[in-house]
Amino acid sequence: MFGKKDSATDQEIMAGIRAGGVTRQRYENLFFLRNKEMVRLRPRKYRITEDDALDAYTEAFLAVVDHIVSGRFRGEASLKTYLSRIFRNKCVDQHRKNTTIPTDWAEEFPELPDPSRDFLKKLMGEERLERVSQFMEQLGQRCKDLLMLSAWGYSPAEIAEKMDFSTPHSASSQRHKCLAKLKEMMTGVEEFED
């Protein structure tokens, strides 16, 4: 596939991921496996299980891939350093999720840009759940189920398994599409506008 497992540079990995198709899959797999040791070496101070660490790593990996594709990652640090920072944040999130009740489900969407997170917090902070429920029904059962599983704290890997997505990345992508659709529907309602 690559000759030597670790021979690809950060620039080659980024170019491969941006290329799309089979090339993207190969470079994503290389990048994922090259840094998966982070799961075993997870920060012990967060007291999370290896399964939780794997979920955190998967979410961090998906965020980095998204940042590479979107151009948000500017290369000011190595890919490994950037992934490590996001992974640590995801471990903190996982620790909080395990130790606090209830979970603010808007926090479950860390890859969303801040305006979307603020919008979700506003929706959930306001006591208009009946209206939110009506819009959720309009999204369709699959989107509704996906958003509810995410709101209940299921990871992209768990959602992919429960809802028969091919990969956690597919589940995460669909979650973002459903959220965007919900936001679009609700921003047309005067009382929910900023």
PDB file of all heavy atoms in Angstrom, residues 113-129:
ATOM      1  N   PRO A 113     -19.356  24.116  13.912  1.00  0.00           N
ATOM      2  CA  PRO A 113     -18.864  25.469  14.153  1.00  0.00           C
ATOM      3  C   PRO A 113     -19.636  26.095  15.311  1.00  0.00           C
ATOM      4  O   PRO A 113     -20.775  25.742  15.581  1.00  0.00           O
ATOM      5  CB  PRO A 113     -19.176  26.200  12.840  1.00  0.00           C
ATOM      6  CG  PRO A 113     -19.458  25.143  11.839  1.00  0.00           C
ATOM      7  CD  PRO A 113     -19.906  23.926  12.587  1.00  0.00           C
ATOM      8  N   ASP A 114     -19.002  27.030  15.997  1.00  0.00           N
ATOM      9  CA  ASP A 114     -19.601  27.641  17.184  1.00  0.00           C
ATOM     10  C   ASP A 114     -21.010  28.181  16.968  1.00  0.00           C
ATOM     11  O   ASP A 114     -21.852  28.011  17.838  1.00  0.00           O
ATOM     12  CB  ASP A 114     -18.690  28.726  17.739  1.00  0.00           C
ATOM     13  CG  ASP A 114     -17.489  28.116  18.451  1.00  0.00           C
ATOM     14  OD1 ASP A 114     -17.558  26.936  18.831  1.00  0.00           O
ATOM     15  OD2 ASP A 114     -16.506  28.828  18.638  1.00  0.00           O
ATOM     16  N   PRO A 115     -21.333  28.856  15.833  1.00  0.00           N
ATOM     17  CA  PRO A 115     -22.698  29.357  15.684  1.00  0.00           C
ATOM     18  C   PRO A 115     -23.744  28.245  15.754  1.00  0.00           C
ATOM     19  O   PRO A 115     -24.811  28.418  16.315  1.00  0.00           O
ATOM     20  CB  PRO A 115     -22.698  30.027  14.310  1.00  0.00           C
ATOM     21  CG  PRO A 115     -21.278  30.362  14.044  1.00  0.00           C
ATOM     22  CD  PRO A 115     -20.473  29.287  14.732  1.00  0.00           C
ATOM     23  N   SER A 116     -23.432  27.068  15.215  1.00  0.00           N
ATOM     24  CA  SER A 116     -24.373  25.954  15.270  1.00  0.00           C
ATOM     25  C   SER A 116     -24.534  25.460  16.695  1.00  0.00           C
ATOM     26  O   SER A 116     -25.632  25.142  17.130  1.00  0.00           O
ATOM     27  CB  SER A 116     -23.890  24.804  14.383  1.00  0.00           C
ATOM     28  OG  SER A 116     -23.864  25.208  13.049  1.00  0.00           O
ATOM     29  N   ARG A 117     -23.428  25.404  17.433  1.00  0.00           N
ATOM     30  CA  ARG A 117     -23.519  24.967  18.828  1.00  0.00           C
ATOM     31  C   ARG A 117     -24.332  25.963  19.633  1.00  0.00           C
ATOM     32  O   ARG A 117     -25.163  25.579  20.444  1.00  0.00           O
ATOM     33  CB  ARG A 117     -22.122  24.810  19.425  1.00  0.00           C
ATOM     34  CG  ARG A 117     -21.376  23.626  18.830  1.00  0.00           C
ATOM     35  CD  ARG A 117     -20.035  23.456  19.438  1.00  0.00           C
ATOM     36  NE  ARG A 117     -20.203  23.130  20.843  1.00  0.00           N
ATOM     37  CZ  ARG A 117     -19.207  23.058  21.684  1.00  0.00           C
ATOM     38  NH1 ARG A 117     -17.990  23.305  21.292  1.00  0.00           N
ATOM     39  NH2 ARG A 117     -19.405  22.761  22.940  1.00  0.00           N
ATOM     40  N   ASP A 118     -24.113  27.248  19.399  1.00  0.00           N
ATOM     41  CA  ASP A 118     -24.886  28.268  20.108  1.00  0.00           C
ATOM     42  C   ASP A 118     -26.361  28.133  19.783  1.00  0.00           C
ATOM     43  O   ASP A 118     -27.221  28.290  20.642  1.00  0.00           O
ATOM     44  CB  ASP A 118     -24.398  29.674  19.751  1.00  0.00           C
ATOM     45  CG  ASP A 118     -22.994  29.942  20.290  1.00  0.00           C
ATOM     46  OD1 ASP A 118     -22.548  29.200  21.188  1.00  0.00           O
ATOM     47  OD2 ASP A 118     -22.360  30.888  19.796  1.00  0.00           O
ATOM     48  N   PHE A 119     -26.657  27.860  18.525  1.00  0.00           N
ATOM     49  CA  PHE A 119     -28.050  27.692  18.113  1.00  0.00           C
ATOM     50  C   PHE A 119     -28.684  26.519  18.844  1.00  0.00           C
ATOM     51  O   PHE A 119     -29.790  26.618  19.370  1.00  0.00           O
ATOM     52  CB  PHE A 119     -28.102  27.470  16.592  1.00  0.00           C
ATOM     53  CG  PHE A 119     -29.471  27.168  16.073  1.00  0.00           C
ATOM     54  CD1 PHE A 119     -30.388  28.184  15.878  1.00  0.00           C
ATOM     55  CD2 PHE A 119     -29.843  25.871  15.794  1.00  0.00           C
ATOM     56  CE1 PHE A 119     -31.661  27.902  15.409  1.00  0.00           C
ATOM     57  CE2 PHE A 119     -31.111  25.584  15.329  1.00  0.00           C
ATOM     58  CZ  PHE A 119     -32.023  26.599  15.131  1.00  0.00           C
ATOM     59  N   LEU A 120     -27.968  25.389  18.923  1.00  0.00           N
ATOM     60  CA  LEU A 120     -28.500  24.227  19.618  1.00  0.00           C
ATOM     61  C   LEU A 120     -28.703  24.516  21.096  1.00  0.00           C
ATOM     62  O   LEU A 120     -29.713  24.137  21.683  1.00  0.00           O
ATOM     63  CB  LEU A 120     -27.560  23.024  19.448  1.00  0.00           C
ATOM     64  CG  LEU A 120     -27.580  22.389  18.079  1.00  0.00           C
ATOM     65  CD1 LEU A 120     -26.458  21.368  17.962  1.00  0.00           C
ATOM     66  CD2 LEU A 120     -28.910  21.731  17.818  1.00  0.00           C
ATOM     67  N   LYS A 121     -27.753  25.194  21.704  1.00  0.00           N
ATOM     68  CA  LYS A 121     -27.892  25.542  23.116  1.00  0.00           C
ATOM     69  C   LYS A 121     -29.099  26.442  23.328  1.00  0.00           C
ATOM     70  O   LYS A 121     -29.833  26.297  24.295  1.00  0.00           O
ATOM     71  CB  LYS A 121     -26.620  26.213  23.632  1.00  0.00           C
ATOM     72  CG  LYS A 121     -25.484  25.238  23.810  1.00  0.00           C
ATOM     73  CD  LYS A 121     -24.265  25.928  24.347  1.00  0.00           C
ATOM     74  CE  LYS A 121     -23.133  24.923  24.495  1.00  0.00           C
ATOM     75  NZ  LYS A 121     -21.954  25.520  25.062  1.00  0.00           N
ATOM     76  N   LYS A 122     -29.303  27.365  22.406  1.00  0.00           N
ATOM     77  CA  LYS A 122     -30.455  28.254  22.522  1.00  0.00           C
ATOM     78  C   LYS A 122     -31.744  27.451  22.438  1.00  0.00           C
ATOM     79  O   LYS A 122     -32.676  27.667  23.217  1.00  0.00           O
ATOM     80  CB  LYS A 122     -30.402  29.314  21.416  1.00  0.00           C
ATOM     81  CG  LYS A 122     -31.576  30.277  21.442  1.00  0.00           C
ATOM     82  CD  LYS A 122     -31.472  31.284  20.326  1.00  0.00           C
ATOM     83  CE  LYS A 122     -32.678  32.190  20.313  1.00  0.00           C
ATOM     84  NZ  LYS A 122     -32.666  33.113  19.196  1.00  0.00           N
ATOM     85  N   LEU A 123     -31.777  26.511  21.489  1.00  0.00           N
ATOM     86  CA  LEU A 123     -32.984  25.694  21.341  1.00  0.00           C
ATOM     87  C   LEU A 123     -33.272  24.902  22.602  1.00  0.00           C
ATOM     88  O   LEU A 123     -34.412  24.852  23.074  1.00  0.00           O
ATOM     89  CB  LEU A 123     -32.818  24.703  20.182  1.00  0.00           C
ATOM     90  CG  LEU A 123     -32.856  25.257  18.780  1.00  0.00           C
ATOM     91  CD1 LEU A 123     -32.649  24.116  17.796  1.00  0.00           C
ATOM     92  CD2 LEU A 123     -34.160  25.948  18.505  1.00  0.00           C
ATOM     93  N   MET A 124     -32.244  24.270  23.124  1.00  0.00           N
ATOM     94  CA  MET A 124     -32.463  23.421  24.280  1.00  0.00           C
ATOM     95  C   MET A 124     -32.618  24.247  25.549  1.00  0.00           C
ATOM     96  O   MET A 124     -33.276  23.816  26.482  1.00  0.00           O
ATOM     97  CB  MET A 124     -31.307  22.413  24.416  1.00  0.00           C
ATOM     98  CG  MET A 124     -31.255  21.437  23.250  1.00  0.00           C
ATOM     99  SD  MET A 124     -32.838  20.696  22.801  1.00  0.00           S
ATOM    100  CE  MET A 124     -33.121  19.675  24.221  1.00  0.00           C
ATOM    101  N   GLY A 125     -32.003  25.422  25.596  1.00  0.00           N
ATOM    102  CA  GLY A 125     -32.116  26.273  26.768  1.00  0.00           C
ATOM    103  C   GLY A 125     -33.501  26.874  26.893  1.00  0.00           C
ATOM    104  O   GLY A 125     -33.985  27.123  27.990  1.00  0.00           O
ATOM    105  N   GLU A 126     -34.160  27.099  25.791  1.00  0.00           N
ATOM    106  CA  GLU A 126     -35.506  27.652  25.816  1.00  0.00           C
ATOM    107  C   GLU A 126     -36.494  26.533  26.072  1.00  0.00           C
ATOM    108  O   GLU A 126     -36.289  25.395  25.661  1.00  0.00           O
ATOM    109  CB  GLU A 126     -35.815  28.346  24.481  1.00  0.00           C
ATOM    110  CG  GLU A 126     -34.943  29.547  24.240  1.00  0.00           C
ATOM    111  CD  GLU A 126     -35.217  30.198  22.901  1.00  0.00           C
ATOM    112  OE1 GLU A 126     -36.236  29.890  22.272  1.00  0.00           O
ATOM    113  OE2 GLU A 126     -34.387  31.003  22.491  1.00  0.00           O
ATOM    114  N   GLU A 127     -37.564  26.856  26.689  1.00  0.00           N
ATOM    115  CA  GLU A 127     -38.529  25.825  27.039  1.00  0.00           C
ATOM    116  C   GLU A 127     -39.592  25.722  25.954  1.00  0.00           C
ATOM    117  O   GLU A 127     -40.768  25.935  26.174  1.00  0.00           O
ATOM    118  CB  GLU A 127     -39.107  26.103  28.409  1.00  0.00           C
ATOM    119  CG  GLU A 127     -38.012  26.122  29.442  1.00  0.00           C
ATOM    120  CD  GLU A 127     -38.527  26.021  30.849  1.00  0.00           C
ATOM    121  OE1 GLU A 127     -39.736  25.833  31.048  1.00  0.00           O
ATOM    122  OE2 GLU A 127     -37.706  26.155  31.730  1.00  0.00           O
ATOM    123  N   ARG A 128     -39.146  25.364  24.783  1.00  0.00           N
ATOM    124  CA  ARG A 128     -40.041  25.214  23.646  1.00  0.00           C
ATOM    125  C   ARG A 128     -39.863  23.826  23.040  1.00  0.00           C
ATOM    126  O   ARG A 128     -39.808  23.656  21.830  1.00  0.00           O
ATOM    127  CB  ARG A 128     -39.742  26.281  22.607  1.00  0.00           C
ATOM    128  CG  ARG A 128     -39.916  27.666  23.195  1.00  0.00           C
ATOM    129  CD  ARG A 128     -39.500  28.695  22.211  1.00  0.00           C
ATOM    130  NE  ARG A 128     -39.295  29.929  22.939  1.00  0.00           N
ATOM    131  CZ  ARG A 128     -39.834  31.067  22.603  1.00  0.00           C
ATOM    132  NH1 ARG A 128     -40.585  31.147  21.563  1.00  0.00           N
ATOM    133  NH2 ARG A 128     -39.607  32.139  23.316  1.00  0.00           N
ATOM    134  N   LEU A 129     -39.750  22.863  23.926  1.00  0.00           N
ATOM    135  CA  LEU A 129     -39.465  21.504  23.470  1.00  0.00           C
ATOM    136  C   LEU A 129     -40.560  20.947  22.567  1.00  0.00           C
ATOM    137  O   LEU A 129     -40.288  20.140  21.686  1.00  0.00           O
ATOM    138  CB  LEU A 129     -39.252  20.588  24.676  1.00  0.00           C
ATOM    139  CG  LEU A 129     -38.013  20.894  25.501  1.00  0.00           C
ATOM    140  CD1 LEU A 129     -37.925  19.955  26.685  1.00  0.00           C
ATOM    141  CD2 LEU A 129     -36.757  20.810  24.659  1.00  0.00           C
TER     142      LEU A 129
END
